[in-house]
Amino acid sequence: MKMLHVPLLLLGMLMASQGFAATAQQEKMKTCNADATAKALKGDERKAFMSDCLKAKPAATQQDKMKTCNADATAKALKGDERKTFMSDCLKKK
């Protein structure tokens, strides 16, 4: 009986994660649609706008910023307080 719980738990987690992905896409669709409506776009112009809007990548995440700044600090061989200052400034800029 216990062996049945693990596959069911994994199946439930998989279904839940797919639900979150759909929600993010739906939110992007709502935002793009609202922007197109605000610009009063119609026909082919609206289709082109929606296509570009939905393809656009979101702004860099904090994790992406950390990776980039960390790589830059490592490339410059920064250590200690100098590295902390660089990382702080780098994360504020990007």
Side-chain angles (χ1 to χ4, degrees), residues 23-37 50 54:
T23 302
Q25 182 64 23
Q26 288 171 345
E27 287 301 317
K28 191 170 188 176
M29 184 70 134
K30 285 180 188 178
T31 302
C32 292
N33 193 34
D35 291 347
T37 301
M50 289 295 288
L54 292 170

Side-chain angles (χ1 to χ4, degrees), residues 19 23 45 47 63 66 76:
T23 302
E45 194 175 1
K47 286 179 187 176
Q63 189 175 13
M66 274 298 274
K76 294 179 180 185

Side-chain angles (χ1 to χ4, degrees), residues 13 16 19 26 34-35 40 55 57:
M13 289 172 57
Q26 288 171 345
D35 291 347
K55 288 178 188 173
K57 292 186 178 181

